[in-house]
Structures are given as C-alpha cells and as structure tokens.
Amino acid sequence: MRPAALDWSIENCTIARAMEVLGERWTLVVLREVFNGIRRFDDMRVRTGIPRQVLTNRLAMLVERGVLRREPYREPGSRVRHEYRLTDMGLDLWPVLVAVLGWGDRYLADPAGSPLTVAHRDCGAEVRVELHCERGHEVVRPRDVVPRPGPGARRRVG
C-alpha cells in the first residue's frame, strides 16, 4: 500500500527548518545551560567543555535566529560583556528539551540515573511531556496519530 504522505511535498517542512536551528549537538547543550540559568559565555564554556569557537558560533546563530538575545552587563572594573537570555521563541523550546531529557533518561541514563531532573516549582513533582489533541484527548502511541497535509502543503506532481 502506498503511503498517503507521498502525495504532498515536504519542501517547506517546518521540522526540517527547526532542525536547521536545533540539529547540532552543542546547540541543545547551550539551550540546556541557559534554561538552567547559566547565561554567561565563560560559565557555559567551563561547565560544558564546548570549544570556545564552537560556543561563539552557536550563541551567535541562536541570537541571529531569534532564540536568544544578548543583554549587556559589567562586573566592577571590567569591560562590558553580554549574557544570553531566552526570547519568547527560545522559551517555547522548553517542552522540546523536557521531551529530549525524558527520552535520554529512559534510554541513555547511567545506572545511577540522570544528573538532571526538572520539577514543578509548586508541588515538587517531576515534570514530563505529554501529548494531547486540541480537544484534550491524551495521545499515548505514535499509531494514535495520522499525518496529513497542513495548510502550507503543496500537492506533489507525478
């Protein structure tokens, strides 16, 4: 049976566009650090071991793409430097990072467990990502979802 997805083009796929921004390992590590409150270049570099030039490039790309913004600060007696803050676009990546953390915890954690957890500030319970349709039904399995063309889809010719 021929998959229906072959009937529409994916040239303008937003998953592919998102991966142009997020698809490199160090990018998600940088975002993890900023979400964890590590906002300064030297702190990120020391904490993660990211090579200086790689970190410079990742931060510049994330600023250019609108995921982060630069905020100036000055330590007494030092020159002005910048720290990196999440924009609204960046904050909207939080569920993505929580989903990646959950997947990593399930399949890749050391026997002792993950070195990081995320908890709900109000009650202390662990946070996880769940999928629901817009009518509120929980989506548990991938087979509960059917791909179909969105409003920007183009019919494939031939």
Side-chain angles (χ1 to χ4, degrees):
M1 178 189 273
R2 184 174 188 272
L6 290 174
D7 292 337
W8 69 86
S9 170
I10 55 164
E11 291 175 26
N12 60 346
C13 176
T14 55
I15 292 175
R17 289 178 183 176
M19 294 314 295
E20 286 177 13
V21 176
L22 303 174
E24 201 278 329
R25 170 190 175 200
W26 292 120
T27 302
L28 291 180
V29 171
V30 166
L31 290 172
R32 177 197 67 200
E33 294 307 305
V34 177
F35 273 111
N36 287 330
I38 310 299
R39 297 185 181 98
R40 296 181 178 180
F41 183 93
D42 287 334
D43 294 337
M44 276 186 229
R45 193 178 57 74
V46 168
R47 182 170 155 94
T48 65
I50 299 174
R52 179 177 292 279
Q53 191 59 53
V54 172
L55 181 56
T56 297
N57 293 345
R58 292 303 164 269
L59 288 168
M61 181 272 298
L62 289 167
V63 168
E64 178 184 318
R65 295 296 193 112
V67 176
L68 297 177
R69 71 179 191 281
R70 290 168 36 124
E71 292 285 327
Y73 73 93
R74 174 180 269 164
E75 296 288 341
S78 296
R79 65 181 172 87
V80 172
R81 296 185 150 194
H82 292 91
E83 61 182 24
Y84 297 87
R85 302 282 180 145
L86 294 156
T87 62
D88 288 342
M89 177 190 269
L91 287 167
D92 282 347
L93 287 168
W94 178 238
V96 174
L97 265 65
V98 173
V100 170
L101 174 65
W103 183 85
D105 287 353
R106 182 170 182 171
Y107 296 107
L108 305 172
D110 291 339
S114 179
L116 175 68
T117 62
V118 289
H120 185 223
R121 186 181 306 273
D122 289 346
C123 72
E126 192 168 330
V127 172
R128 67 177 184 270
V129 173
E130 295 180 352
L131 297 177
H132 295 85
C133 73
E134 64 184 15
R135 292 186 181 159
H137 304 115
E138 186 174 9
V139 178
V140 179
R141 298 177 313 255
R143 299 223 186 277
D144 294 339
V145 177
V146 58
R148 57 184 187 203
R154 293 182 211 127
R155 195 93 170 122
R156 207 177 181 112
V157 179

